[in-house]
């Protein structure tokens, strides 16, 4: 199956694209976009991959679902489009960055600036129906994104993985922690951030690890 995605990923994932489950998934997704309001825009379904080429990956941040309100989702986990109000979890991420590194909270919730530095902002499910959280769960995306995580774990060296919350930690069980730096924490959601996300200093830990690997720090 021909999938429009950055060529560095296409080579790595072609075997996955050819599997029956993925072909069924794409048929379902095409029908959904043709008949309903679906986010993100079709051109941004693989935005996380297009902005962060395979060989450039330094960090992986695993989310769950795209935002399901108008003009929010742009294909990157935790990220929203320019001019959109910053969602609560991302606001808490910015608060911890300030606490950890002294960087004032960004005015924009568009995280393309992170992706362009080698941060793979990967949601477990890459599409969603408008105003229906989780509408595209268990259609095949989770199998695909687990394969992506395993491919990064297997073929890359010295990547930082942020696993925030139980869902991401379960998803990250395929990661080889002997060759990568796995950082776990509660989710930055307002429901849990005060129970261990605030004060976890994971952004400075990630940068220190990258420097040890001979890589440049992420400008959070």
């Amino acid at each position: 199956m021909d999938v429009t995605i950055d060529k560095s990923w296409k080579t790595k994932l072609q075997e996955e694209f050819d599997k029956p489950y993925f072909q069924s998934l794409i048929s379902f997704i095409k029908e959904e976009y043709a008949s309903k309001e679906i986010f993100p825009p079709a051109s941004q379904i693989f935005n996380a991959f297009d902005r962060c080429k395979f060989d450039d990956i330094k960090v992986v941040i695993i989310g769950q679902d795209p935002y399901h309100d108008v003009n929010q989702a742009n294909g990157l986990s935790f990220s929203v489009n320019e001019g959109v109000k910053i969602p609560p979890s991302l606001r808490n991420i910015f608060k911890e960055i300030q606490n950890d590194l002294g960087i004032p909270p960004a005015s924009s919730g568009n995280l393309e600036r992170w992706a362009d530095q080698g941060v793979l902002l990967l949601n477990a499910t890459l599409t969603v129906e408008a105003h229906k959280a989780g509408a595209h769960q268990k259609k095949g995306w989770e199998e695909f994104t687990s394969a992506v995580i395993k491919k990064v774990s297997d073929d890359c060296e010295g990547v930082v993985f942020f696993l925030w919350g139980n869902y991401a930690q379960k998803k990250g069980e395929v990661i080889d922690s002997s060759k990568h730096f796995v950082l776990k924490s509660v989710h930055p959601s307002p429901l849990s951030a005060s129970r261990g996300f605030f004060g976890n200093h994971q952004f400075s830990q990630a940068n220190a690890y990258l420097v040890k690997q001979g890589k440049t720090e992420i400008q959070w």
Side-chain angles (χ1 to χ4, degrees):
M1 173 170 287
D2 190 45
V3 175
T4 306
I5 193 172
D6 179 81
K7 64 179 187 234
S8 68
W9 285 99
K10 199 172 184 78
T11 309
K12 295 288 183 182
L13 298 173
Q14 189 59 54
E15 189 179 320
E16 213 60 33
F17 296 148
D18 291 337
K19 290 181 178 177
Y21 89 85
F22 193 85
Q23 296 176 29
S24 298
L25 168 65
I26 293 302
S27 296
F28 165 75
I29 294 301
K30 282 181 176 173
E31 195 169 309
E32 289 285 285
Y33 273 93
S35 60
K36 299 173 184 173
E37 188 174 20
I38 306 297
F39 301 129
S43 62
Q44 291 188 315
I45 293 173
F46 296 108
N47 196 25
F49 305 87
D50 294 334
R51 303 288 309 207
C52 178
K53 294 176 171 47
F54 190 87
D55 294 333
D56 296 339
I57 298 169
K58 297 177 184 175
V59 176
V60 178
I61 300 179
I62 298 172
Q64 191 163 356
D65 272 313
Y67 298 114
H68 55 83
D69 283 337
V70 176
N71 201 36
Q72 285 185 304
N74 61 7
L76 309 176
S77 62
F78 293 100
S79 174
V80 289
N81 286 311
E82 296 289 342
V84 174
K85 184 180 178 183
I86 296 174
S89 290
L90 182 55
R91 201 159 54 240
N92 286 339
I93 290 168
F94 288 165
K95 278 184 191 171
E96 177 53 24
I97 290 170
Q98 182 173 30
N99 172 61
D100 189 12
L101 296 170
I103 299 168
S107 57
S108 168
N110 188 337
L111 302 182
E112 288 179 343
R113 62 187 181 275
W114 293 1
D116 292 343
Q117 296 177 73
V119 181
L120 179 65
L121 293 156
L122 181 69
N123 275 321
T125 303
L126 300 189
T127 55
V128 69
E129 185 178 345
H131 317 303
K132 291 190 178 179
H136 288 180
Q137 289 178 2
K138 299 180 180 169
K139 302 294 184 183
W141 279 132
E142 294 93 339
E143 185 172 346
F144 171 69
T145 52
S146 288
V148 169
I149 294 165
K150 188 163 192 325
K151 181 61 75 173
V152 173
S153 176
D154 289 351
D155 290 10
C156 298
E157 297 283 341
V159 173
V160 180
F161 288 87
F162 287 106
L163 306 181
W164 297 331
N166 292 334
Y167 185 89
Q169 287 165 28
K170 183 84 178 156
K171 190 97 176 148
E173 287 175 357
V174 296
I175 300 163
D176 181 353
S177 58
S178 70
K179 57 187 280 206
H180 301 290
F181 189 34
V182 179
L183 289 164
K184 297 179 182 179
S185 164
V186 296
H187 196 275
S189 139
L191 298 173
S192 55
S194 60
R195 299 201 307 268
F197 184 80
F198 293 138
N200 66 22
H201 298 287
Q202 290 188 347
F203 298 97
S204 58
Q205 290 181 63
N207 275 353
Y209 177 80
L210 291 173
V211 169
K212 272 193 206 166
Q213 299 289 314
K215 302 173 185 178
T216 53
E217 297 181 340
I218 302 298
Q219 299 301 311
W220 299 107

